[in-house]
Structure formats: C-alpha cells, structure tokens
Amino acid sequence: MSKTLKKILLVTAMVTLVGGAFTGVMTYSNIGFSDAFTRQWALSFVQAVCVIFPMGMFIMWIMHNVVEAFFGRLSSLHKNLIFGFGMALSMEAIMALSTTYRNIGLGDLQQFSQAFLASYLMVLPVALVLSPIMTLLVKPKMEAFLAS
C-alpha cells in the first residue's frame, strides 16, 4: 500500500472516529434514540465533516497564531494544552451548531438554542478529556507520519 494512501486512510479514520462519535452524541441529545436516529446521525456526520474540515484548517491556523501571540513565552507543553482546549471549545461549538441545525432546524430559535446548548454541553466533557490526549500524544505522531 502506498504511503500516500496510508496517510489518507489515517486522516479519514481519525475524522470518522472523532467526528462520528461526537455527532452521534449530539444527535442523541437532539432527537434521542428513535427510528430516525441512524439516518439523522449519518446526515449530521456528513454535514459536519463538510463544514468542519475546511473550517477546522482555518481555525487551527487562527488558534496557533493566537496562542503564539498571547502565550509565546510559555513552554511548548502549556502552549499545546491551550491550543488543544481552544480547538475543543471552538470545533465542538461549530459541530454542535451544524448537527443541531441538521436535526432541529431554525424554525423555532428558542428550541434551536436549547438543543444546541444541550448537545454542546453533553459532548464538551468528552472533548475536553480527548483534547489533551489528541494534542499531546496523537497529534505529534500523526504530524510525524504525515510529514514522512
């Protein structure tokens, strides 16, 4: 198997694992387990990936610049943790907006707001636990592999 294909498969697997789990939790928060859950989760996942992937690259660039500008004197460990938590907070908010929009719609803004907040708060603890793991353990290994 070519190295390029392995890199594509690694990124695809990470996006599927993390994005799929988070949109699953958010979809459950929005509509519960019902006959429509699997379809709604799949549609929410695809929509989130289409929204998150391009925005994620831009947000990573912004977050990196903000961390360097405001926390440039801190150790790499501290900067990486700040970066990871900032990414978790921002990316989960975008994913919660996308998923809630897909599942609830904007017809009733009060219902949308409540569903967004509920899904964001339900998945945020998981994201905040995974964030340092991803930032400190997975990201450096992925970057090294992708750079090779």
Side-chain angles (χ1 to χ4, degrees):
M1 183 181 300
S2 76
K3 198 137 183 124
T4 302
L5 183 57
K6 287 180 182 178
K7 291 175 182 181
I8 291 169
L9 289 174
L10 175 65
V11 171
T12 302
M14 292 301 296
V15 167
T16 301
L17 180 68
V18 174
F22 288 169
T23 55
V25 170
M26 291 176 191
T27 299
Y28 168 76
S29 174
N30 289 161
I31 65 171
F33 285 124
S34 65
D35 293 338
F37 175 81
T38 303
R39 181 179 189 283
Q40 286 301 106
W41 166 77
L43 292 171
S44 295
F45 172 69
V46 169
Q47 180 174 318
V49 168
C50 292
V51 169
I52 291 292
F53 187 71
M55 290 184 77
M57 296 301 154
F58 181 67
I59 291 171
M60 283 176 65
W61 177 77
I62 290 173
M63 191 67 62
H64 174 76
N65 290 333
V66 167
V67 168
E68 286 300 322
F70 290 101
F71 305 104
R73 293 184 179 186
L74 295 179
S75 70
S76 292
L77 173 66
H78 289 108
K79 288 191 291 190
N80 283 336
L81 286 171
I82 293 167
F83 175 83
F85 286 126
M87 287 300 294
L89 293 171
S90 58
M91 297 304 284
E92 296 319 311
I94 294 167
M95 198 176 300
L97 282 169
S98 172
T99 300
T100 304
Y101 173 74
R102 175 75 197 121
N103 293 322
I104 304 296
L106 293 174
D108 182 347
L109 286 180
Q110 182 176 3
Q111 181 186 11
F112 175 84
S113 300
Q114 290 172 347
F116 161 75
L117 186 59
S119 65
Y120 182 65
L121 293 176
M122 183 179 272
V123 81
L124 191 60
V126 177
L128 292 176
V129 168
L130 281 179
S131 171
I133 294 168
M134 295 294 289
T135 301
L136 299 176
L137 300 175
V138 177
K139 183 180 172 229
K141 290 180 182 182
M142 279 186 64
E143 286 176 343
F145 177 72
L146 294 174
S148 67

